Amino acid sequence: MILAKVVGTVVASQKESSMDGLKFLTLQQVDLEGKATGGFVVAADAVGAGVGEMVLYASGSSARQTKATENRPCDAVVMAIVDNWETDGTLKYKKGRDD
Amino acid sequence: MILAKVVGTVVASQKESSMDGLKFLTLQQVDLEGKATGGFVVAADAVGAGVGEMVLYASGSSARQTKATENRPCDAVVMAIVDNWETDGTLKYKKGRDD
Amino acid sequence: MILAKVVGTVVASQKESSMDGLKFLTLQQVDLEGKATGGFVVAADAVGAGVGEMVLYASGSSARQTKATENRPCDAVVMAIVDNWETDGTLKYKKGRDD
Amino acid sequence: MILAKVVGTVVASQKESSMDGLKFLTLQQVDLEGKATGGFVVAADAVGAGVGEMVLYASGSSARQTKATENRPCDAVVMAIVDNWETDGTLKYKKGRDD
Amino acid sequence: MILAKVVGTVVASQKESSMDGLKFLTLQQVDLEGKATGGFVVAADAVGAGVGEMVLYASGSSARQTKATENRPCDAVVMAIVDNWETDGTLKYKKGRDD
């Protein structure tokens, strides 16, 4: 999985019908310090994440292992909202403190 | 999924027979500002996208989760035509306005 | 899929037995202008492609969706020989003219 | 698989329910000399690895081939703790000596 | 598949039990000239390859399509030992001559 920040949403009314009802979030990848790496992706939302939240997303076939994305042409899914993480014993991100 | 602009088409008459009838689109990847990143891919079309349109495409096994691409040697599919997207509350792309 | 030029072949007599009879082609990836990107891969041949031809190849599990590669440890397959492609309305490659 | 060092943990209480009980580890990728490459990933733990240990992780659908991760939206798993490795006949890493 | 040279081995006694008995090889990727690209990976061995040999490896779910790796958390497998390859009609590598 990759750490990322939700920065926006994509609207697409004309799409493969199985994608109806899925919310598309734009994500900026961050490194273990919480800094943007320059990488980005559009992911389906499986956990009710909102803009500004730090999340984990899964890619590839693993992105279809949620109720929201099963059997759909979806290759990235937000499957967790991050509370905090630490690196080498130091708290690098804490929801609320670092948003 | 990745945001991309349809820039052209590929014709290939000699191919794995299961690919008959599929349309191959060439796509230029764009970033969250809508600028070309330099990345590109050839994707099958599952939604009737045309040259000049902004789309979302899915890669890997997820590219086979459409009626058009099921069980075929296809690793990228256009599965949505983008109407608009916004980043940090700003509208970055709007179909019609930014084409 | 990715556009690539067939530049050679690999011979490997000692291999997983399910790979017997498959032809391994070396491919140089090209961009939408037809120029080599520096990327390369070894792909199984599913369409009878030869050295010098421009092709499309598929990667990952999609590379196993041909009769030649089904259920085999093969992660890249040539599944089409390219006749031509155009970008922004300009013919960038035409078989015969640009070989 | 890729060699990596476990450097921390991620806490995420709000997640796809199938992920309950899984431990998320942050990993720094290392090269064959044991030096950090700059790459990183968040992986589920299938072997009881701890911070500071050198491990192997698998990505993609292969990350779901453990009891801990089966059928879950998980695209990276720590599936082995490394005792040692050698390159060109030289011991490059030995657990205990190089931690 | 990717061309690579076997440069060493990894020992990991504590691992997902399904991985017992598999040999882990460290591989340095090479380009079509046979030169190291800087890329590397740890792959399971399905063909009895040894240090110093030039091989092909497959990645992703295709790495599980051998008897040795079926249903295991393994995302890279050595599935062939290379005898030789040629590029644009020139022999670039020949086992025995270029080892």
Side-chain angles (χ1 to χ4, degrees):
Chain A
M1 282 69 64
I2 297 288
L3 292 163
K5 191 177 183 179
V6 182
V7 294
T9 52
V10 178
V11 177
S13 49
Q14 205 173 331
K15 60 195 169 212
E16 174 77 9
S17 59
S18 65
M19 299 302 271
D20 284 348
L22 273 185
K23 190 173 178 184
F24 295 121
L25 301 174
T26 53
L27 308 182
Q28 279 186 331
Q29 299 167 0
V30 301
D31 62 19
L32 297 183
E33 301 294 319
K35 287 179 188 144
T37 63
F40 53 89
V41 74
V42 177
D45 180 25
V47 291
V51 172
E53 285 190 299
M54 203 66 93
V55 299
L56 284 173
Y57 74 91
S59 299
S61 59
S62 299
R64 301 197 309 272
Q65 309 293 315
T66 74
K67 287 190 196 81
T69 57
E70 203 178 2
N71 298 326
R72 289 166 193 182
C74 170
D75 65 3
V77 71
V78 173
M79 28 59 78
I81 299 174
V82 173
D83 294 322
N84 63 72
W85 78 79
E86 56 176 55
T87 306
D88 293 325
T90 304
L91 193 67
K92 294 294 182 176
Y93 170 81
K94 186 173 154 59
K95 193 179 164 89
R97 185 192 77 174
D98 299 315
D99 293 330
Chain B
M1 284 68 65
I2 297 288
L3 293 163
K5 191 177 183 177
V6 183
V7 294
T9 52
V10 179
V11 177
S13 49
Q14 205 173 332
K15 60 194 169 214
E16 174 77 9
S17 59
S18 65
M19 300 302 272
D20 284 348
L22 274 185
K23 191 173 177 185
F24 294 122
L25 301 174
T26 53
L27 308 182
Q28 279 186 332
Q29 299 167 1
V30 301
D31 62 20
L32 297 182
E33 301 294 319
K35 286 180 188 143
T37 64
F40 53 89
V41 74
V42 178
D45 180 25
V47 290
V51 173
E53 285 189 298
M54 204 65 93
V55 299
L56 284 173
Y57 74 92
S59 299
S61 59
S62 299
R64 301 197 309 273
Q65 308 293 315
T66 75
K67 288 189 196 82
T69 57
E70 204 179 0
N71 298 326
R72 290 169 192 179
C74 170
D75 65 3
V77 71
V78 173
M79 29 59 77
I81 299 174
V82 173
D83 295 322
N84 62 74
W85 78 80
E86 56 176 55
T87 305
D88 293 325
T90 305
L91 194 67
K92 294 294 181 176
Y93 170 83
K94 188 174 153 59
K95 193 180 165 88
R97 185 191 77 173
D98 300 315
D99 293 329
Chain C
M1 283 68 65
I2 298 288
L3 292 163
K5 191 177 183 177
V6 183
V7 294
T9 52
V10 178
V11 177
S13 49
Q14 205 173 331
K15 62 194 168 215
E16 174 77 9
S17 59
S18 65
M19 300 301 272
D20 284 348
L22 274 186
K23 191 172 177 186
F24 295 122
L25 300 174
T26 52
L27 308 182
Q28 279 186 332
Q29 299 167 1
V30 301
D31 63 20
L32 297 182
E33 301 295 318
K35 286 180 189 142
T37 64
F40 53 90
V41 74
V42 178
D45 180 26
V47 290
V51 173
E53 285 189 299
M54 203 65 93
V55 299
L56 284 173
Y57 74 91
S59 299
S61 59
S62 299
R64 301 196 309 272
Q65 309 292 316
T66 75
K67 288 191 196 78
T69 57
E70 204 178 1
N71 298 327
R72 289 166 193 182
C74 170
D75 65 3
V77 71
V78 173
M79 28 60 77
I81 299 174
V82 173
D83 294 321
N84 62 73
W85 78 79
E86 57 176 54
T87 305
D88 293 325
T90 304
L91 194 66
K92 294 294 183 177
Y93 170 82
K94 187 173 153 61
K95 192 180 165 89
R97 185 192 77 172
D98 300 315
D99 294 330
Chain D
M1 282 68 65
I2 297 288
L3 292 164
K5 190 176 183 178
V6 182
V7 294
T9 52
V10 179
V11 177
S13 48
Q14 205 173 332
K15 61 195 169 213
E16 174 77 10
S17 58
S18 65
M19 300 301 272
D20 285 347
L22 274 185
K23 191 173 177 184
F24 294 122
L25 301 174
T26 53
L27 308 182
Q28 279 186 333
Q29 299 168 1
V30 301
D31 63 18
L32 297 182
E33 301 294 319
K35 286 179 188 143
T37 63
F40 53 89
V41 75
V42 178
D45 180 26
V47 291
V51 172
E53 285 189 300
M54 203 66 92
V55 299
L56 284 173
Y57 74 91
S59 298
S61 59
S62 299
R64 301 197 309 272
Q65 309 293 315
T66 74
K67 287 190 196 79
T69 57
E70 204 179 1
N71 298 326
R72 290 167 192 181
C74 169
D75 65 3
V77 71
V78 173
M79 29 58 78
I81 298 173
V82 173
D83 294 321
N84 63 73
W85 79 78
E86 58 176 54
T87 305
D88 293 326
T90 304
L91 194 67
K92 294 295 182 176
Y93 170 82
K94 187 173 154 60
K95 192 178 164 89
R97 185 191 77 174
D98 300 315
D99 293 330
Chain E
M1 283 68 64
I2 298 288
L3 292 164
K5 191 178 184 177
V6 183
V7 294
T9 52
V10 178
V11 177
S13 49
Q14 205 173 331
K15 61 195 169 215
E16 174 76 9
S17 59
S18 66
M19 299 302 272
D20 284 348
L22 274 186
K23 191 172 177 185
F24 294 121
L25 302 174
T26 52
L27 308 182
Q28 278 186 333
Q29 299 168 0
V30 301
D31 63 20
L32 297 182
E33 301 294 318
K35 287 181 188 141
T37 63
F40 54 89
V41 75
V42 178
D45 179 26
V47 291
V51 173
E53 285 189 300
M54 203 66 92
V55 299
L56 283 173
Y57 74 90
S59 299
S61 59
S62 299
R64 301 197 309 271
Q65 309 293 315
T66 75
K67 287 190 196 80
T69 57
E70 204 179 0
N71 297 327
R72 288 167 193 180
C74 170
D75 64 3
V77 71
V78 174
M79 29 58 79
I81 299 174
V82 173
D83 295 322
N84 62 73
W85 78 79
E86 58 175 54
T87 305
D88 294 325
T90 304
L91 194 66
K92 294 293 182 176
Y93 170 83
K94 188 174 153 58
K95 192 179 165 89
R97 186 192 77 174
D98 300 315
D99 294 331

